[in-house]
Amino acid sequence: DLGCGDRQTDGETDFVLVIPRHGILVLEVKGGELRTKDGSWWTRPRGADDFKRLSRSPFKQAEDARYRLQRYLAPQCGALPFAYAVCFPGGAPHGGLGLEGPDHLVVNRYDIPDLPARIERLLRDTGMSGPLPGSMVEKVTEILAPTALIAPVLLQESRTASAELERVEFAP
């Protein structure tokens, strides 16, 4: 979830790739059957009978997630190189996707067998500069996937202990 506390733009993205040699790539993945017509995007998930209109195109979803994440990280990390792309793992577009979905932002099923090479080309084609310093890779990783412990609250521990003491039978 990349809502980052902004309820008007809360959302999620499928993958955030922190690539030390380049920067950060936000990857939106769309499965099932998709179509676009007159600027609207429609999806028919596997097993469904009907198409359902998407509120935003996959490219807009990826772009929005990229900028939300960039704003979220900026206060702690400064300016970082970012890019976004859309992956269609089950197929490949037949026909162009227009200005919003240029070919260099598309990863399709034929790219999957050599995904690292496709990602490398995508980053080169988007002009993403890097590398990220090693300390920044660790910092971004810690911010996005922190290590934390959620321990019982002392009051709850106290109540549990009191309840156990009430059950204890004392020998005369």
Side-chain angles (χ1 to χ4, degrees), residues 51-94:
F51 278 89
K52 175 186 159 195
R53 185 176 183 184
L54 297 174
S55 61
R56 296 176 294 161
S57 80
F59 295 94
K60 183 68 174 149
Q61 290 174 27
E63 181 183 35
D64 289 349
R66 173 244 165 117
Y67 286 114
R68 271 194 316 276
L69 184 59
Q70 197 168 9
R71 284 191 308 270
Y72 180 72
L73 292 173
Q76 298 173 69
C77 302
L80 298 171
F82 272 86
Y84 68 92
V86 175
C87 180
F88 303 105
H94 297 288

Side-chain angles (χ1 to χ4, degrees), residues 9-27:
T9 58
D10 271 0
E12 54 86 25
T13 193
D14 296 309
F15 292 96
V16 176
L17 305 172
V18 180
I19 305 167
R21 289 190 324 257
H22 297 284
I24 299 171
L25 175 66
V26 173
L27 189 63

Side-chain angles (χ1 to χ4, degrees), residues 18-24 81 116-117 119-121 123 128-133 137:
V18 180
I19 305 167
R21 289 190 324 257
H22 297 284
I24 299 171
I119 296 293
E120 195 76 32
R121 281 192 322 275
L123 296 173
M128 182 185 268
S129 61
L132 292 175
V137 171

Side-chain angles (χ1 to χ4, degrees), residues 4-167:
C4 306
D6 182 356
R7 295 318 260 152
Q8 291 182 341
T9 58
D10 271 0
E12 54 86 25
T13 193
D14 296 309
F15 292 96
V16 176
L17 305 172
V18 180
I19 305 167
R21 289 190 324 257
H22 297 284
I24 299 171
L25 175 66
V26 173
L27 189 63
E28 177 69 24
V29 178
K30 288 295 180 199
E33 189 176 354
L34 292 132
R35 71 178 180 197
T36 180
K37 182 175 171 127
D38 299 327
S40 295
W41 282 78
W42 302 78
T43 182
R44 180 167 49 195
R46 289 179 187 89
D49 292 330
D50 298 319
F51 278 89
K52 175 186 159 195
R53 185 176 183 184
L54 297 174
S55 61
R56 296 176 294 161
S57 80
F59 295 94
K60 183 68 174 149
Q61 290 174 27
E63 181 183 35
D64 289 349
R66 173 244 165 117
Y67 286 114
R68 271 194 316 276
L69 184 59
Q70 197 168 9
R71 284 191 308 270
Y72 180 72
L73 292 173
Q76 298 173 69
C77 302
L80 298 171
F82 272 86
Y84 68 92
V86 175
C87 180
F88 303 105
H94 297 288
L97 298 178
L99 292 174
E100 188 177 35
D103 289 343
H104 73 276
L105 296 181
V106 174
V107 177
N108 65 52
R109 73 172 302 222
Y110 302 110
D111 298 321
I112 302 298
D114 197 5
L115 190 57
R118 176 63 187 108
I119 296 293
E120 195 76 32
R121 281 192 322 275
L122 186 149
L123 296 173
R124 185 183 61 241
D125 292 348
T126 60
M128 182 185 268
S129 61
L132 292 175
S135 61
M136 192 55 67
V137 171
E138 292 172 14
K139 187 172 189 174
V140 168
T141 302
E142 177 60 28
I143 292 168
L144 296 181
T147 300
L149 172 65
I150 301 171
V153 176
L154 185 58
L155 178 60
Q156 183 60 40
E157 289 179 6
S158 174
R159 287 179 181 159
T160 302
S162 293
E164 287 179 24
L165 283 174
E166 289 176 10
R167 282 188 252 138

